Amino acid sequence: FHIGEREEKCVIEDIPSDTLVVGNYKVQRWDLHTRDFLESAPGLGMFVTVTSPTGEVQLSKLYGPQGTFTFTSHISGEHIICFQSNSTRFAVIAGSKLRIHLDIRVGEHFLDESAIQAKDKVNEVNIRLEHLIEQIHHVTREQEYEREREEKFRKTSEETNSNILWWAIVQTLILISVGIWQIKSLRDFFISKKLV
């Protein structure tokens, strides 16, 4: 995505609880002379701020023009990940555009291949097995989180349907009572005018 040099851009990620999040980014600055983005942006860093669904700041750190940030979610919900450059130029001068390449991986746990190669085959199988078990736990937590969200959505839908039903019943009763009142008023009017 593109942002201005002094602009803040936020991304919302829906993350289950107790989940590791790894983000990789790279910043490129627009060059007026070549009319293209430079391969890197030397001297330019990024403030990365992660806010939990409760508003608690989980991560606030200054990184370089490219880097990796990690955090673990403590509660499930929408986490806000914000990026802002550390440009100190005045807003009038800082009209440069920035391009940010962002890769966010939720629940990924990477294997250290060099450590695996150093161990014998039995240990390698054990490490891979532990990695698979960890991935199974992550999938289980994610499914549980989706079940919670689906249950909450279902309850909200049922409450809304119930409210709509009662509103329809109330409208029907009002319509019937107004109809009865109109018939009685017309009958009394015709009787008083001796038209009946």
Side-chain angles (χ1 to χ4, degrees):
F1 56 87
H2 294 151
I3 63 172
E5 196 168 331
R6 305 271 308 215
E7 183 182 352
E8 181 180 44
K9 187 79 164 193
C10 295
V11 177
I12 298 174
E13 282 290 325
D14 201 3
I15 304 169
S17 62
D18 298 324
T19 302
L20 177 68
V21 178
V22 179
N24 296 310
Y25 73 91
K26 178 182 176 184
V27 179
Q28 294 176 310
R29 184 182 291 181
W30 177 259
D31 186 25
L32 293 173
H33 302 296
T34 61
R35 297 276 208 210
D36 197 10
F37 287 96
L38 298 173
E39 193 56 37
S40 67
L44 190 65
M46 292 299 285
F47 284 109
V48 179
T49 307
V50 177
T51 308
S52 71
T54 59
E56 174 189 347
V57 176
Q58 284 190 293
L59 173 71
S60 180
K61 191 172 178 184
L62 175 64
Y63 293 93
Q66 68 182 39
T68 301
F69 60 92
T70 60
F71 68 94
T72 302
S73 63
H74 300 296
I75 60 171
S76 57
E78 293 181 344
H79 289 69
I80 301 170
I81 305 169
C82 295
F83 298 90
Q84 185 176 18
S85 71
N86 68 341
S87 176
T88 57
R89 300 196 311 180
F90 292 111
V92 176
I93 301 171
S96 180
K97 287 190 293 185
L98 301 176
R99 177 188 286 169
I100 299 177
H101 300 272
L102 178 63
D103 179 29
I104 297 177
R105 297 180 182 186
V106 178
E108 291 236 355
H109 301 285
F110 303 103
L111 289 174
D112 185 7
E113 293 297 330
S114 62
I116 291 175
Q117 290 174 356
K119 305 217 182 228
D120 61 355
K121 291 293 180 183
V122 175
N123 286 340
E124 181 179 341
V125 171
N126 282 339
I127 290 173
R128 290 196 184 274
L129 185 62
E130 288 174 5
H131 179 71
L132 288 174
I133 290 171
E134 192 173 315
Q135 284 183 331
I136 289 170
H137 288 307
H138 170 69
V139 168
T140 305
R141 282 194 307 266
E142 200 165 310
Q143 286 178 338
E144 191 63 37
Y145 175 61
E146 291 300 324
R147 271 192 213 102
E148 290 172 10
R149 288 185 61 194
E150 189 271 333
E151 184 178 335
K152 184 178 177 183
F153 178 76
R154 189 174 354 103
K155 284 181 182 177
T156 304
S157 296
E158 288 172 359
E159 288 174 7
T160 304
N161 287 341
S162 174
N163 290 341
I164 290 172
L165 175 68
W166 284 111
W167 179 245
I169 290 172
V170 168
Q171 282 182 326
T172 305
L173 291 176
I174 290 173
L175 186 64
I176 290 171
S177 62
V178 167
I180 292 172
W181 176 76
Q182 283 181 336
I183 291 172
K184 184 179 180 316
S185 298
L186 281 172
R187 187 173 154 246
D188 290 345
F189 173 75
F190 288 141
I191 289 176
S192 69
K193 295 294 182 180
K194 296 184 182 178
L195 296 174
V196 177

